[in-house]
Amino acid sequence: MSRLFLFLTVLTLFFSCKKDKIGPQCISCEENPINNTSNSDVLIINEGNFGWGNSSLSVYNKSNNQVSQNVFWQQNNCLALGDVAQSMCQFNGKGYIVLNNSSKIEVVNMSNFISTATITGFNSPRFILPINNAKAYVTDLYSNSIQIVNLNTQTITGNIAVSGWTEELLIYNDTVYVCDVTNNQLLIINPQNDQLVSSIPVGENPSSLVIDKNNKIWILCDGGISSTNPQLIQYNPANRTIEQTFIFPAISQSPNHLKINAVGAVLYFLNDGVYQFNISDNNLPSSPIIPSNSTIFYGLGIDPTNNDIYVADAIDYVQNGIVFRYNAAGGLIHQFNAGIIPNGFLFIQ
């Protein structure tokens, strides 16, 4: 009887969850347990290393500066989140975590990050946009289509044919706008019938977009790898025209991660440092509000409650990344460790 007990104990220890089975998610991190989230929490999406399956989520409580690491792993009986966490959105109390190399979306309760479903069948998903309570669109790197997901059954029910890589997307006035990276276009989709309506030529490599308080859409085009000068474009969806185009001065620049503050008046983006641009400005900013100082700024987020600026430093893409929290004027408030390659932020509401 004692030998059987010993054998079962060894088996339990051998097969118990260990992060080193899937690669370290946050090296030497203190994993503060998390019970329930609050509006004081900021979620950090750590994409992890390609092929290692070590993506993770960190939760930062901005009221007490406490950080909880590997919260998905902790809350789901040591279940690995997956390979390369690309993005995440929250909708109707659920969090949708897009994992491109794992070709899936993990669905969690936003209150405790416990998994409720896994949506599979994608190729290399990038971003998810809920259209209504029953439907969402998911862009993709390789599938030549935008996937249509039923949010009730958590399954793919159809697709919208496109040509190449699609990236960020938004919905405004019953119309969906999508960054078409491959063809340098802004795609316009009717979500009522899931049909591609039109496409607008923009700059090279459009990857991120936001809508401002005047209902104008801003598209950031990074220009490719020193292919063309990057552009920031203002598009009017009312008459489907480009109203302004701001061209970056150097072909070597690569602006990315376009964000906007809660009132829709100030744009932010990464271009080595963090830059700030008022939607009424006539020229691109010449200097950053937050210089990078030789760090690798890899992710950006703007807190909708107070305009605090969160910047993720990937360091060397191997060790834990660092998150810097600044006030709206660019003054450093706090910094803390996150997981490997932090790339985005979600402000829990």
Side-chain angles (χ1 to χ4, degrees), residues 167-168 179-181 184-186 202-210 217-224 229-235 246-248 253-259 267-271 275 277 284 300:
E167 194 73 351
E168 287 191 15
C179 289
D180 178 351
V181 180
N184 305 325
Q185 295 177 334
L186 179 68
V202 292
E204 186 169 357
N205 281 17
S207 58
S208 51
L209 74 174
V210 296
I217 296 174
W218 294 82
I219 307 113
L220 187 60
C221 308
D222 66 25
N229 287 64
Q231 299 179 22
L232 177 63
I233 295 169
Q234 184 191 52
Y235 173 78
F246 297 89
I247 300 176
F248 287 77
Q253 292 180 319
S254 184
N256 57 84
H257 284 80
L258 182 66
K259 305 296 179 182
L267 304 176
Y268 298 84
F269 57 86
L270 296 180
N271 192 19
Y275 286 77
F277 177 83
L284 290 170
L300 177 66

Side-chain angles (χ1 to χ4, degrees), residues 10-65:
V10 170
L11 280 181
T12 300
L13 291 172
F14 182 78
F15 288 106
S16 64
C17 51
K18 292 181 180 295
K19 285 180 291 179
D20 58 7
K21 291 171 63 179
I22 56 170
Q25 299 171 36
C26 187
I27 304 168
S28 301
C29 279
E30 180 180 349
E31 295 176 352
N32 298 310
I34 187 167
N35 294 316
N36 291 295
T37 60
S38 72
N39 290 341
S40 294
D41 289 337
V42 181
L43 188 62
I44 300 97
I45 299 97
N46 305 299
E47 69 179 48
N49 303 111
F50 184 87
W52 280 69
N54 59 356
S55 62
S56 66
L57 301 179
S58 305
V59 175
Y60 169 67
N61 187 302
K62 60 189 178 185
S63 62
N64 61 21
N65 292 339

